[in-house]
């Protein structure tokens, strides 16, 4: 699957937004807060945001197959009586290509741009 550059930028920004908000609670400059606000406005309007990311200190990052994985090469053993639902959590508005996996005991992932829970999409 080929991802458009701005969809990747949106996915990276959405994933980084919780950490950015934590950092901005402290003694951050009003200029940096304004960049986050402008980026959010642009994202919500469907405008390109890639020009803002360097100002926020974030980039598009490596391709999904290049990202490090903390999984072993062997799959997790499954209880044969349980059926496994495979899929991932995606942008609730379909704005970006972000896909998050979730462990059973983890919180539901959120879209920080649209301030909604990510939507589960079966498959994959």
């Amino acid at each position: 699957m080929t991802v458009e550059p701005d969809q990747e930028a949106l996915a990276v920004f959405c994933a980084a937004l919780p950490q950015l908000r934590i950092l901005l609670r402290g003694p951050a400059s009003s200029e940096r807060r304004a960049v986050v606000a402008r980026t959010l406005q642009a994202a919500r309007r469907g405008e390109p945001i890639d020009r803002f990311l360097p100002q926020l200190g974030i980039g598009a990052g490596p391709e999904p197959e290049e990202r490090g994985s903390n999984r072993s090469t062997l799959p997790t053993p499954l209880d044969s009586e349980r059926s496994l639902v495979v899929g991932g959590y995606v942008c609730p508005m379909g704005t970006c290509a972000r896909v998050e996996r979730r462990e059973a005991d983890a919180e539901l992932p959120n879209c920080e741009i649209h301030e909604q829970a990510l939507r589960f999409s079966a498959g994959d």
Side-chain angles (χ1 to χ4, degrees):
M1 174 175 92
T2 304
V3 177
E4 292 181 29
D6 201 53
Q7 283 190 337
E8 182 66 19
L10 283 166
V12 170
F13 177 66
C14 184
L17 196 52
Q19 185 64 29
L20 282 172
R21 286 182 169 151
I22 290 169
L23 293 173
L24 293 177
R25 285 185 200 145
S29 71
S30 59
E31 181 179 320
R32 189 149 182 191
R33 283 188 184 100
V35 172
V36 171
R38 285 193 305 270
T39 308
L40 266 172
Q41 286 176 334
R44 288 176 179 157
R45 288 190 299 244
E47 298 171 358
I49 64 161
D50 53 347
R51 68 181 188 269
F52 296 113
L53 298 185
Q55 298 172 52
L56 297 172
I58 56 177
E63 292 297 317
E65 53 271 2
E66 294 175 8
R67 292 184 184 136
S69 175
N70 57 2
R71 299 186 76 186
S72 71
T73 56
L74 298 175
T76 305
L78 298 175
D79 182 356
S80 61
E81 294 180 26
R82 291 184 172 181
S83 62
L84 178 64
V85 177
V86 179
Y89 289 84
V90 298
C91 180
M93 306 300 278
T95 305
C96 74
R98 180 178 174 199
V99 177
E100 291 289 326
R101 304 288 179 216
R102 177 178 171 214
E103 296 296 322
D105 60 346
E107 290 186 31
L108 187 63
N110 286 308
C111 172
E112 298 296 331
I113 293 171
H114 297 290
E115 298 178 342
Q116 296 180 19
L118 293 183
R119 178 178 50 83
F120 183 77
S121 176
D124 203 296

